[in-house]
Amino acid sequence: DDVNDNAPEFISGLKYTVLEQSKAGTEVGKVNASDRDKENTLHVKIRYTLKTRLDLFAIDPATGVITTVTNTLDREVSS
């Protein structure tokens, strides 16, 4: 069995832009990561999560697609 000795690395950029007052469910972007551990082992399975701003955004744990969860995005109120 493979040893989990490689951390996942993001392949794509991590900065996205979204318009204020976008509808809830608007796609903001998609993160993409890979892991250099042995293929077809549990060590290469990647699950995406957000650590902050859960009141504003959601991420699909399998696909990495980020969406809005509210239609009240306002940069002057929260940045």
Side-chain angles (χ1 to χ4, degrees), residues 1-17:
D1 193 27
D2 182 43
V3 176
N4 189 13
D5 56 352
N6 293 294
E9 296 177 357
F10 286 101
I11 298 168
S12 58
L14 298 175
K15 291 189 179 194
Y16 304 95
T17 302

Side-chain angles (χ1 to χ4, degrees), residues 10 12-18 27-32 57 64 66:
F10 286 101
S12 58
L14 298 175
K15 291 189 179 194
Y16 304 95
T17 302
V18 62
E27 187 173 322
V28 175
K30 179 179 178 182
V31 293
N32 190 9
F57 301 100
I66 302 167

Side-chain angles (χ1 to χ4, degrees), residues 17-72:
T17 302
V18 62
L19 297 174
E20 292 182 324
Q21 309 305 322
S22 293
K23 291 182 181 180
T26 298
E27 187 173 322
V28 175
K30 179 179 178 182
V31 293
N32 190 9
S34 68
D35 191 309
R36 295 182 301 140
D37 284 309
K38 185 177 179 183
E39 289 187 36
N40 300 319
T41 67
L42 291 177
H43 302 307
V44 296
K45 183 174 173 113
I46 295 176
R47 185 168 178 86
Y48 300 98
T49 60
L50 295 176
K51 293 185 176 189
T52 62
R53 300 296 190 189
L54 300 176
D55 58 327
L56 302 176
F57 301 100
I59 190 166
D60 183 291
T63 66
V65 172
I66 302 167
T67 55
T68 59
V69 297
T70 181
N71 64 350
T72 59

